[in-house]
Amino acid sequence: MSGQATPGTVTVTMDGTNKSTKLQLIDGTIGPQVADIRKLYSDLGIFTYDPGYGGTAACDSKITYIDGDEGILLHRGYPIEQLATQSSFLEVAYLMLNGELPNAAQKADFDAGVMRHTMVHEQMRSFFQGFRRDAHPMAVMCGVVGAMSAFYHDSLDINNPEHRRISAFRLIAKVPTIAAMAYKYSVGQPFVYPRNDLGYAENFLYMMNAVPAEPYHVNPILARAMDRILILHADHEQNASTSTVRLAGSTGANPFACIAAGIASLWGPAHGGANEAVLKMLAEIGSVENVKHFLDQVKDKNSHSRLMGFGHRVYKNFDPRAKIMQQTCHEVLGELGIKNEPLLDLAVELERIALSDDYFIARKLYPNVDFYSGIILKAMGIPTSMFTVLFAVARTVGWVSQWMEMIEDPSQRIGRPRQVYTGSPQRDFVPASQRG
Ligand code: SDX
C-alpha cells in the first residue's frame, strides 16, 4: 500500500516500523485541501495533536470563507466589502440561512417574518429582576437567552425542519430585544417594546434609546451605521464561539441553549470581548505621547499586556472588516459633525506606529474587527459594556446559520475531541492513615 504515489492522498508512515496508511485529501471549493484523518487511529493507533485547533478542520461548511493571507472574507461567495456597502443585515441573514440572496418578494417576506417576532414572552421581563443593576449585560444575555428554551417548547425538536426554522426566526428577532432590555435594566429605565414598522437596526437603537415620556426618532445615519456594523459581525467561519455553538448543538441540545453557549464563549477578551477591551486600552494609554511606552510593555512578555484589537488566528494580513470599520468610523463621525475624536486620532496613530514596528510585522499582527468598532459605537452613544452584546446580536445570525448547517449535515456526529494523557500512570489508592 505505501510507497505507491496515489494522487489525492497523503501517506503517513511511522518511522522505524512498517506501519503506514494513505489519507484521502479533500478539496474545498477554494482554500487549502484537508487530510481526512478519521482512520488514522484504526490504521496506526495514533491521534493528531493540535491545541487550539489552529490546523484542524472540524467540519465542512458553505457559509463563510476566509483567506487569512490575502485578507479575504466571503459570505456564500459574496465579498464582505460588497455586502457591507450594498446589502442590509437582514438580507445578509437571509443569504446565510438560505445560501442565496433573496428576490424582492422573498426579502419582504423574510423581513416581515423577523420583525413580527421581535416581542418576547411577557413573563421573561421578570428574569431581569434577579440580576443586580450593575451586572454586565453579557451575563444577562447568557441567562435570558438560555431561558428562552423554557418558553418556546413548541420549537425544540431539532430534527423537525419547521421547528428549526421557527427557532431561527425567534432567535434572530428576539435577541436584539433582550439586548436592549439588558441595557435598559442596567440604567434603571423601563423596557421599550419593539416596533414592527422600523428596520432591524433602527428598531434596536429605538429600544435602546427611546423612553415612554416622549417620542423618539432614530437618526438615520446611526441606523445605517448600525446595520453595517451588524453585517461586519454576522459570521466568521469556525471561530471560538461558533465552534462552541456547533459543539453544543452536536449533542442535540436545543438551539436556545446552543446560542447561550455561544454568547458565553464570545464574552472572552480574546474574542468578542476585545472591542470593549480596546476602549479600556485606549483610555489607559491616554495620549499619543504614551504609545511608545505602551507598545514597549506589550513587547515585554512579562507584562502580559496585549495590543487589543490586533492580531488574529487566521488573518495574517489586514482583517477586511477592520478596513471597512475604519472607513465607517470616519464617515459616521463626519456625518455626526464630530470634528475631532481624540480616541480615533489615538487609535490611528497607535495603528501607524504598531504597523511599522518589527515586533508586530514579524508576527503578522494587524488590526482586527475589534480595533475600530468600539470607537464608532462610543461615538454613536452605545455604552462600552454593550459593545460585546452588540457583537452577540449580530453573530446570532452566523451562529444560527452554522447550527442549522450542522444539524442538516448527514456526516455530523457528537463532537468529542481526544487528548494526549500526561498524568500519573495507574496506581493504587493509599488510605489516609498511610499517607505521608
Ligand atoms: C475576534 O476567530 C475569529 O474569527 C474571531 C473573530 C470573529 O469574528 O469571530 O475574528 C473575532 O475574536 C477577533 C480577535 C479579537 N481579540 C483581540 O483583539 C485580542 C488581542 N489579540 C490576541 O489575543 C490574539 O491575537 C488572538 C487571540 C486574536 C489570536 O491568538 P493566537 O492565534 O494564539 O495568537 P498567535 O499565535 O497568532 O500569536 C503569535 C505571536 C505570539 O507571540 P510569540 O509567542 O510568537 O512571541 O503574536 C503575539 C503572541 O504572543 N500576539 C500578540 C497579540 N496577538 C498575538 N502580541 C501582542 N498583542 C497582540 N494582540
Side-chain angles (χ1 to χ4, degrees):
M1 172 163 60
S2 66
Q4 290 166 318
T6 314
T9 65
V10 61
T11 301
V12 179
T13 301
M14 292 186 76
D15 292 346
T17 75
N18 61 353
K19 293 172 77 176
S20 169
T21 186
K22 285 185 185 300
L23 305 177
Q24 287 300 317
L25 288 174
I26 301 170
D27 290 305
T29 313
I30 39 181
Q33 291 178 308
V34 295
D36 185 339
I37 60 164
R38 282 177 285 189
K39 65 178 190 146
L40 194 61
Y41 183 67
S42 57
D43 285 5
L44 299 183
I46 60 174
F47 294 135
T48 58
Y49 182 62
D50 185 14
Y53 310 110
T56 297
C59 63
D60 80 68
S61 178
K62 298 174 174 55
I63 298 171
T64 292
Y65 174 73
I66 300 171
D67 181 325
D69 295 327
E70 298 302 320
I72 291 170
L73 169 58
L74 308 176
H75 292 313
R76 300 286 189 180
Y78 295 101
I80 188 65
E81 294 83 356
Q82 295 178 26
L83 293 173
T85 53
Q86 300 176 51
S87 187
S88 70
F89 180 65
L90 282 187
E91 186 171 72
V92 170
Y94 182 99
L95 173 67
M96 286 190 179
L97 285 166
N98 299 290
E100 298 297 336
L101 289 166
N103 61 32
Q106 290 165 331
K107 184 175 185 319
D109 183 49
F110 181 80
D111 288 8
V114 171
M115 293 314 295
R116 298 191 70 77
H117 281 80
T118 50
M119 285 177 67
V120 294
H121 191 293
E122 194 66 4
Q123 270 184 252
M124 289 190 80
R125 298 161 67 95
S126 56
F127 278 130
F128 292 81
Q129 304 310 321
F131 291 101
R132 287 171 48 127
R133 289 284 179 179
D134 62 353
H136 194 291
M138 283 297 279
V140 177
M141 292 294 287
C142 290
V144 180
V145 171
M148 288 175 77
S149 39
F151 282 87
Y152 299 111
H153 295 289
D154 61 341
S155 66
L156 294 182
D157 176 3
I158 61 162
N159 298 308
N160 180 329
E162 184 54 13
H163 282 203
R164 294 199 296 269
R165 191 190 66 82
I166 293 171
S167 295
F169 265 91
R170 281 175 166 155
L171 280 159
I172 294 169
K174 298 178 192 304
V175 165
T177 306
I178 294 169
M181 292 169 81
Y183 170 64
K184 285 299 196 186
Y185 184 75
S186 73
V187 295
Q189 288 183 2
F191 298 141
V192 174
Y193 286 106
R195 279 180 46 188
N196 298 349
D197 62 315
L198 300 181
Y200 190 89
E202 187 184 12
N203 184 41
F204 176 64
L205 291 174
Y206 173 77
M207 295 187 290
M208 281 273 293
N209 298 302
V211 290
E214 59 186 29
Y216 180 82
H217 301 287
V218 176
N219 179 331
I221 297 169
L222 300 186
R224 197 171 62 247
M226 179 58 71
D227 196 78
R228 182 182 292 184
I229 291 168
L230 293 173
I231 292 174
L232 293 173
H233 288 82
D235 189 56
H236 211 239
E237 201 208 73
Q238 305 311 316
N239 57 84
S241 54
T242 298
S243 300
T244 301
V245 171
R246 278 181 172 260
L247 197 56
S250 74
T251 72
N254 72 73
F256 306 106
C258 296
I259 300 307
I263 292 171
S265 172
L266 183 74
W267 194 0
H271 189 16
N275 50 20
E276 184 176 346
V278 167
L279 261 288
K280 286 181 181 139
M281 173 187 73
L282 292 173
E284 283 165 14
I285 296 171
S287 69
V288 172
E289 291 70 33
N290 298 333
V291 165
K292 183 183 178 314
H293 172 68
F294 173 76
L295 291 181
D296 288 343
Q297 279 186 304
V298 167
K299 293 184 271 190
D300 171 7
K301 294 290 183 188
N302 299 319
S303 77
H304 302 295
S305 294
R306 286 226 152 174
L307 179 51
M308 302 310 281
F310 256 65
H312 198 277
R313 172 64 53 81
V314 175
Y315 289 122
K316 300 309 173 190
N317 193 328
F318 269 89
D319 179 335
R321 301 168 298 174
K323 286 184 183 174
I324 301 166
M325 201 67 86
Q326 190 192 43
Q327 291 156 13
T328 306
C329 210
H330 286 294
E331 285 169 22
V332 169
L333 293 176
E335 289 171 336
L336 291 174
I338 299 173
K339 291 280 182 283
N340 66 324
E341 167 52 69
L343 279 178
L344 177 59
D345 299 340
L346 177 56
V348 169
E349 182 60 7
L350 177 58
E351 175 188 354
R352 186 190 65 77
I353 296 172
L355 291 180
S356 58
D357 184 302
D358 289 341
Y359 177 94
F360 299 92
I361 294 169
R363 292 166 176 80
K364 297 185 178 180
L365 302 177
Y366 292 87
N368 59 49
V369 67
D370 294 301
F371 190 65
Y372 285 104
S373 57
I375 297 166
I376 308 178
L377 294 173
K378 182 178 182 297
M380 294 169 66
I382 306 285
T384 307
S385 64
M386 286 294 289
F387 290 179
T388 309
V389 172
L390 249 171
F391 198 148
V393 167
R395 189 53 58 90
T396 294
V397 162
W399 289 331
V400 167
S401 303
Q402 298 264 357
W403 172 79
M404 297 263 274
E405 183 178 64
M406 178 205 64
I407 297 288
E408 291 159 8
D409 178 351
S411 69
Q412 77 94 14
R413 306 162 65 204
I414 187 169
R416 205 303 186 186
R418 302 307 300 270
Q419 63 175 14
V420 59
Y421 176 67
T422 55
S424 168
Q426 183 168 330
R427 52 184 170 166
D428 293 328
F429 182 79
V430 177
S433 58
Q434 297 171 28
R435 294 174 206 149

